[in-house]
Amino acid sequence: MPTRLAYLGPTGTYGEQAARALVQLEAMGDVQFVPCIGLRAVVEQLASGMCDAAVVPIENSVEGGVTATLDALWSHRDLCIRRALVLPIRHALLGQGDLSGINEVLSHPQALAQCSGWLAKHVPHALQLPTSSTAEAARLVVGSHFRAAIASRVAGNEHGLEELAYPVNDVAGNCTRFLLLKRGERREQGSVASVAFSLHRNAPGALLEALACLADRGLNMSRIESRPSKREFGEYVFFVDVDLPSNRAEALPELIAQLEPFCEHLAHFGAYPSTELSDVST
């Protein structure tokens, strides 16, 4: 049976590009790609057992954390991370009309935000409309002379769209970090580990006490992000990435043991390797 892998569809998204790259890195063999509508649906396909793996974006270098993914991970704390991939993002403006006649631009909200400066300069009067993915935006503008989509060149080729401008992202070094998620046992060795936790109390110094566990063990925190717990105002869940030394196999289990007493809930997503692509196929 092939491995069923869920990703944010339809065909042509950056999520699909990341999924195909991760399949090669993990040597996953026979894979059936399952496009989904919405990031929560991607995670749900894995959590429910309908798929064997899932690929989701977790962080963009310009717009920060992908909140839908963070919330979905906290809802499914039994999942684990097998690998991270940093993918360069090069947006194109795609359509079937002249740039001067474009009065609506469609894309995923993250992509619109990543191109906001370019849009303000070149199509200042165009209405910006959010879609579930960049590739879905490309599909929706087919046949229109006044609509354009922000998406990848791959999506443009998929739907027979013309390239009206490229690249249109505001930051040349724009990139997104994707995660390969699976069910099963968490690994304790890798270059990075990810945890998420809520605290017993919202009090002065409570977060500092928890984070001191990293300093006590000589570990570097490479990322921290908070999300509302959705239970009461002012209560948060913290997502933390930790760099792991290659010569200390006990580093992660010891950290978890020291951190646990400070936490009401602690999610341990495991240790994993991280790969950065220098370029992305067009």
Side-chain angles (χ1 to χ4, degrees):
M1 294 290 291
T3 298
R4 288 174 54 84
L5 188 151
Y7 71 94
L8 179 64
T11 299
T13 60
Y14 295 102
E16 183 187 22
Q17 294 181 41
R20 293 187 180 279
L22 284 162
V23 164
Q24 291 187 346
L25 287 168
E26 289 288 294
M28 293 174 64
D30 188 14
V31 173
Q32 178 184 353
F33 292 91
V34 181
C36 302
I37 300 175
L39 289 174
R40 181 167 288 275
V42 175
V43 178
E44 292 288 349
Q45 283 285 308
L46 173 61
S48 66
M50 297 296 291
C51 284
D52 307 296
V55 171
V56 290
I58 189 70
E59 179 184 19
N60 177 260
S61 60
V62 177
E63 289 300 304
V66 180
T67 57
T69 299
L70 294 172
D71 291 345
L73 284 174
W74 185 246
S75 297
H76 298 287
R77 299 192 284 272
D78 55 324
L79 300 180
C80 58
I81 302 171
R82 285 290 187 250
R83 183 182 282 270
L85 174 74
V86 179
L87 184 76
I89 303 296
R90 306 290 181 263
H91 293 304
L93 187 72
L94 308 168
Q96 292 179 318
D98 295 327
L99 181 62
S100 59
I102 299 301
N103 56 36
E104 291 183 2
V105 177
L106 286 68
S107 197
H108 189 277
Q110 281 257 343
L112 291 172
Q114 293 162 24
C115 304
S116 59
W118 191 96
L119 293 172
K121 180 178 180 180
H122 295 278
V123 284
H125 303 297
L127 184 64
Q128 298 179 27
L129 302 175
T131 58
S132 61
S133 72
T134 53
E136 177 65 7
R139 185 188 71 81
L140 290 172
V141 305
V142 172
S144 174
H145 295 288
F146 65 89
R147 281 183 156 189
I150 292 175
S152 68
R153 283 173 156 176
V154 172
N157 293 334
E158 181 75 21
H159 296 285
L161 297 173
E162 299 173 15
E163 188 177 295
L164 306 182
Y166 176 85
V168 297
N169 36 283
D170 297 334
V171 178
N174 187 14
C175 56
T176 296
R177 185 159 61 105
F178 289 85
L179 301 178
L180 174 64
L181 305 177
K182 287 190 176 182
R183 300 183 305 274
E185 186 177 355
R186 292 150 182 77
R187 294 172 179 166
E188 295 184 349
Q189 295 188 49
S191 58
V192 187
S194 293
V195 300
F197 57 87
S198 60
L199 300 169
H200 286 299
R201 58 196 179 95
N202 182 13
L207 177 59
L208 182 60
E209 289 177 342
L211 295 180
C213 298
L214 280 75
D216 291 346
R217 312 211 70 79
L219 298 175
N220 179 54
M221 178 177 64
S222 55
R223 170 176 168 264
I224 183 170
E225 190 148 357
S226 64
R227 288 290 296 151
S229 69
K230 298 179 174 58
R231 297 195 310 180
E232 61 180 77
F233 188 78
E235 184 180 70
Y236 293 92
V237 175
F238 299 95
F239 293 82
V240 174
D241 286 352
V242 182
D243 295 334
L244 296 178
S246 58
N247 60 345
R248 289 168 53 191
E250 75 287 352
L252 182 56
E254 288 182 354
L255 172 64
I256 296 300
Q258 186 176 352
L259 183 60
E260 200 161 19
F262 297 99
C263 304
E264 180 184 19
H265 298 289
L266 174 61
H268 163 27
F269 297 109
Y272 51 92
S274 181
T275 304
E276 184 170 349
L277 295 187
S278 59
D279 198 4
V280 62
S281 61
T282 57

